[in-house]
Amino acid sequence: MKGSGEHGRIHRADVECYAAAASRKEEAAEVRATPLARKIAADQGLELGQLEGGGERGKVVRSDVERALTAEKKDQPKEKRVIKLQGMRKIIAQRMSQSAYTAPHVTITTTVDMTAAKTLRTELLPVIEKQTGLRLSYTEIMLKAIASCLVRHPALNARWENDEVVLQEDTNIGLAVSVKDGLLVPVIFGAQRMGLAELVTKSKELAGKARDNKLKPEDLSGGSFTVSNLGMYAVDSFTPIINQPEVAILGIGQIQDKPAVVGGELKARPIMTLSLSFDHRVVDGAPAAAFLTELKTVLEQPYQLLI
């Protein structure tokens, strides 16, 4: 609006003149708009006087109205999507927060040359598949090695209960399984007594039940150590949170060819990173490092599992 007063000052007459012109413009628009364009504009609360007609002799048509409505929507802020924390997700949030805030977490890592483990899997794959109908994965080889090492490192195979550390007789290993909207940790009981074929059958059975929501309460309790495997993703290492009341959890990263010095020469080797988080109230750094060191040795020389 341009004012007619001194230095462009706007007077009452200027406002009334502007309002009258806008009214005439709107009336003209009503006259030069198609019935359908007028109806859509009325339903959407759009003023036709703001539009430039693209029809014959400047008539406002349907496409002019729709174009204006689309532009108006683009200018409006998008509504936020809010997901209420409930059910399994709420329980996971509470338990992870409790673990993170009550147990002093320490995480140590090491890298493992998986060359020998890959050879072992290749050789045993057809044998176990013929026996069980299932394929041997690195997960079961890891479970076998972990169970073997936990027997000799009981401080890691324990639970914190009522301000007491309860060492477990069996290695009851929880296997974290991703499911819709959450995470479940079914337990393989007495893993130290199982061979690879039995571990293949049990781990895949529990993972299938988890995804089909068929686990029983007893399948999810009584663990003494947890394994979280993200090796199927492009993840080298991560910091897993302890699944209380257990005192330790092992994170497994992807196997990826990386340069390594072998016999004084630089070669490409399949390398995997392990991340061990432990409760420092129960376990000190030295015994945790001893467990991780032995696990690395066993995985790099997996035929030790036959002894």
Side-chain angles (χ1 to χ4, degrees), residues 40-62:
I40 295 174
D43 291 342
Q44 298 297 324
L46 183 68
E47 295 182 7
L48 287 174
Q50 299 175 352
L51 307 182
E52 292 185 7
E56 184 178 0
R57 296 181 181 178
K59 182 179 288 187
V60 176
V61 297
R62 175 182 178 178

Side-chain angles (χ1 to χ4, degrees), residues 208-224:
K209 285 184 178 180
R211 296 187 183 99
D212 295 337
N213 196 28
K214 293 182 179 180
L215 288 173
K216 298 178 181 179
E218 54 265 32
D219 294 324
L220 297 166
S221 60
S224 60

